[in-house]
């Protein structure tokens, strides 16, 4: 019941979701973000001057926030773009920068949780999913793809996608997807694969998740412009030999991925981030700091961890109390409503 109250409140207040997009330059990340939001959220890249081409700029990590309305449900979506990934000769710096950004958001929560007085203006900026753009090469994964997904997946839900998938024929795409998934399995990369449990989950969930899993890596096509063909207007890319439609599931997986991210799987991605990925990070970090100081200040440190745990426990209890109070209030209101309805009915009967 408490869960249902929370959900109902969320539906009214809306949801917050953060998505990161990573991939080599020119694979259509910016176009994808703008297509996803149906607005010019990220400005197009200014072209580099040829005489500046030798200067390595490095990776930039830029969040953009938009307010979306999904069938009456408000979503405050933050998309974090990462231009410059893979542009350098040595990519170690890029991995470190992205990982550092993800962990920084966890650190912020960790220190907020251990404050005695909460900051009412605190914003949870944890990233709930990472779309990794694979180049539509038709071969298989490159070393940089494997390395990035492997290094980041312990900290974030990684969802592999193929950018500019309209550059492949349908049968090439099927083969390519198969090879990519074989690589992911062989290298044991723990991507987000729409987890389900045949025994525990209901039939609908199993069916939905297994369908989404079978689409991995999602084939994407991005396009911000609309075209008119035979009097029909839609978002698509027009070529001399035909038109590909962004929102047509026969042409690409954009619509299915969008629905999964912003509707059906939004909550699951957030829960995994909080209950599993963040929790692991928190445990690692706290035990690491306990180990570091174990020689000289181990007692003090243990005490510190214990205090933090106690504090978290107290806050949990406080939250539970609030939940019970809200539940009581809700019951009272329902009683009141019921009494009013009875009154109304008897008045109607008299009239
Ligand atoms: N064929 C095809 N072209 C696309 C697609 N999406 C984007 N493009 C084109 O590819 C070019 C690069 O797209 P961007 O969205 O700027 O790519 P990006 O990944 O943001 O690139 P950088 O920001 O420069 O790293 C543009 O000319 C787009 O019009 C797609 O799905 N298919
Ligand atoms: Mg871009």
């Amino acid at each position: 019941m408490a869960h249902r109250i929370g959900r109902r409140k969320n539906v009214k207040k809306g949801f917050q979701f953060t998505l990161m997009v990573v991939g080599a330059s020119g694979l259509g990340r910016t176009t994808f973000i703008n297509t996803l939001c149906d607005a010019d959220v990220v400005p197009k890249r200014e072209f580099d001057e040829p005489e500046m081409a030798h200067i390595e700029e490095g990776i930039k990590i830029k969040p953009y926030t938009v307010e979306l309305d999904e069938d009456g449900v408000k979503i405050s979506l933050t998309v974090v773009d990462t231009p410059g990934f893979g542009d350098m000769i040595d990519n170690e710096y890029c991995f470190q920068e992205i990982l550092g950004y993800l962990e920084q958001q966890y650190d912020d929560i960790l220190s907020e949780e251990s404050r005695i007085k909460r900051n009412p203006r605190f914003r949870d900026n944890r990233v709930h999913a990472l779309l990794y753009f694979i180049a539509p090469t038709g071969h298989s994964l490159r070393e940089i793809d494997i390395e990035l997904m492997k290094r980041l997946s312990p900290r974030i839900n990684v969802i592999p996608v193929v950018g500019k998938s309209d550059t492949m024929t349908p049968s090439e795409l099927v083969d390519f997807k198969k090879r990519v998934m074989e690589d992911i399995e062989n290298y044991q990369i723990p991507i987000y694969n729409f987890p389900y449990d045949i025994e525990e989950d209901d039939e609908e969930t199993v069916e939905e998740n297994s369908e989404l899993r079978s689409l991995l890596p999602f084939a994407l096509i991005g396009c911000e412009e609309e075209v008119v063909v035979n009097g029909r207007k839609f978002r698509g890319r027009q070529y001399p030999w035909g038109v590909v439609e962004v929102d047509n599931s026969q042409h690409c997986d954009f619509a299915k991925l969008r629905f999964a991210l912003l509707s059906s799987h939004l909550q699951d991605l957030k829960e995994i981030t909080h209950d599993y990925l963040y929790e692991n990070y928190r445990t690692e970090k706290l035990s690491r700091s306990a180990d570091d100081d174990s020689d000289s200040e181990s007692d003090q440190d243990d005490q510190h961890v214990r205090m933090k745990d106690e504090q978290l426990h107290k806050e949990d209890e406080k939250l539970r109390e609030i939940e019970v109070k809200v539940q009581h209030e809700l019951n009272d209101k329902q009683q009141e409503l019921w009494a009013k309805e009875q009154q109304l009915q008897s008045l109607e009967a008299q009239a």
Side-chain angles (χ1 to χ4, degrees):
M1 186 64 196
H3 183 70
R4 270 177 44 210
I5 294 177
R7 225 187 133 74
R8 215 178 307 144
K9 210 170 72 194
N10 272 340
V11 167
K12 208 162 157 231
K13 246 180 52 188
F15 295 92
Q16 189 271 327
F17 189 71
T18 302
L19 179 70
M20 185 182 249
V21 287
V22 182
S25 172
L27 283 182
R29 288 186 331 273
T30 299
T31 311
F32 168 79
I33 297 170
N34 293 343
T35 311
L36 184 79
C37 304
D38 205 8
D40 286 334
V41 178
V42 183
K44 277 266 168 341
R45 177 166 170 162
E46 284 134 33
F47 284 101
D48 305 330
E49 299 291 326
E51 58 269 24
M52 303 286 275
H54 64 287
I55 300 172
E56 286 193 344
E57 270 208 65
I59 190 168
K60 296 191 196 77
I61 300 186
K62 292 188 179 173
Y64 301 87
T65 299
V66 268
E67 307 299 325
L68 301 177
D69 188 317
E70 291 297 301
D71 291 329
V73 179
K74 289 196 188 74
I75 297 179
S76 174
L77 173 71
T78 301
V79 190
V80 186
D81 194 10
T82 54
F85 171 78
D87 285 356
M88 285 180 293
I89 296 158
D90 180 6
N91 291 303
E92 183 56 32
Y93 170 76
C94 285
F95 298 144
Q96 295 287 349
E97 285 286 299
I98 299 174
L99 197 63
Y101 182 89
L102 299 175
E103 292 185 346
Q104 183 60 53
Q105 314 316 314
Y106 289 155
D107 283 338
D108 289 353
I109 290 274
L110 199 55
S111 66
E112 180 62 22
E113 275 179 349
S114 44
R115 282 159 73 114
I116 295 179
K117 221 166 158 228
R118 296 280 177 116
N119 172 7
R121 273 194 292 275
F122 178 78
R123 199 183 142 91
D124 178 357
N125 284 321
R126 284 176 295 184
V127 187
H128 307 115
L130 180 147
L131 294 188
Y132 183 67
F133 278 69
I134 301 166
T137 59
H139 306 307
S140 49
L141 288 181
R142 296 165 311 161
E143 207 176 302
I144 185 173
D145 305 327
I146 296 163
E147 186 71 12
L148 177 118
M149 289 196 275
K150 216 169 177 162
R151 299 254 303 252
L152 297 192
S153 44
R155 295 284 181 252
I156 188 166
N157 289 303
V158 173
I159 303 177
V161 301
V162 181
K164 294 185 170 179
S165 69
D166 56 320
T167 55
M168 280 191 274
T169 66
S171 66
E172 282 168 350
L173 188 62
V174 169
D175 285 348
F176 185 54
K177 278 188 171 195
K178 196 163 150 261
R179 264 196 301 278
V180 167
M181 290 317 283
E182 279 166 6
D183 277 350
I184 285 178
E185 200 165 308
N186 288 340
Y187 289 97
Q188 297 177 344
I189 307 171
I191 58 162
Y192 176 77
N193 65 351
F194 299 88
Y196 59 85
D197 186 329
I198 295 185
E199 312 258 294
E200 296 238 320
D201 291 322
D202 56 75
E203 219 173 286
E204 205 183 320
T205 309
V206 172
E207 205 174 296
E208 194 181 10
N209 286 20
S210 65
E211 193 211 333
L212 287 165
R213 186 183 287 183
S214 74
L215 293 175
L216 281 165
F218 292 90
L220 296 185
I221 293 171
C223 181
E224 294 142 271
E225 273 111 56
E226 288 187 322
V227 289
V228 182
V229 178
N230 297 333
R232 195 164 65 89
K233 202 170 164 188
F234 52 84
R235 294 192 296 181
R237 307 184 68 88
Q238 195 156 23
Y239 297 106
W241 51 89
V243 191
V244 277
E245 299 174 31
V246 168
D247 298 284
N248 184 338
S249 294
Q250 301 282 320
H251 294 188
C252 72
D253 307 323
F254 172 80
K256 292 206 166 139
L257 175 65
R258 187 182 194 280
F259 186 75
L261 290 175
L262 298 182
S263 187
S264 61
H265 286 70
L266 181 142
Q267 204 60 23
D268 192 46
L269 289 161
K270 288 186 81 164
E271 276 170 21
I272 292 181
T273 305
H274 180 71
D275 299 343
Y276 179 71
L277 300 168
Y278 168 64
E279 204 46 45
N280 278 351
Y281 178 74
R282 181 178 166 275
T283 315
E284 274 173 37
K285 178 125 187 177
L286 292 181
S287 49
R288 211 185 313 143
S289 65
D291 280 352
D292 284 352
D293 301 333
S294 61
D295 295 342
S296 54
E297 298 167 34
S298 75
D299 284 352
Q300 218 180 338
D301 215 53
D302 276 356
Q303 203 182 347
H304 189 63
V305 173
R306 253 200 316 276
M307 269 167 60
K308 264 189 183 166
D309 277 351
E310 255 169 46
Q311 209 173 330
L312 281 176
H313 182 71
K314 270 193 200 140
E315 279 173 9
D316 265 0
E317 276 190 343
K318 224 187 287 169
L319 274 178
R320 219 163 297 138
E321 273 170 27
I322 293 174
E323 233 171 59
V324 171
K325 209 174 128 219
V326 169
Q327 175 69 64
H328 279 307
E329 280 172 9
L330 196 73
N331 283 346
D332 287 350
K333 287 267 178 294
Q334 265 166 354
Q335 290 279 334
E336 253 175 59
L337 198 69
W338 187 78
K340 287 239 163 75
E341 263 172 21
Q342 293 290 314
Q343 229 176 357
L344 202 66
Q345 270 173 16
S346 66
L347 278 176
E348 271 171 3
Q350 280 168 21

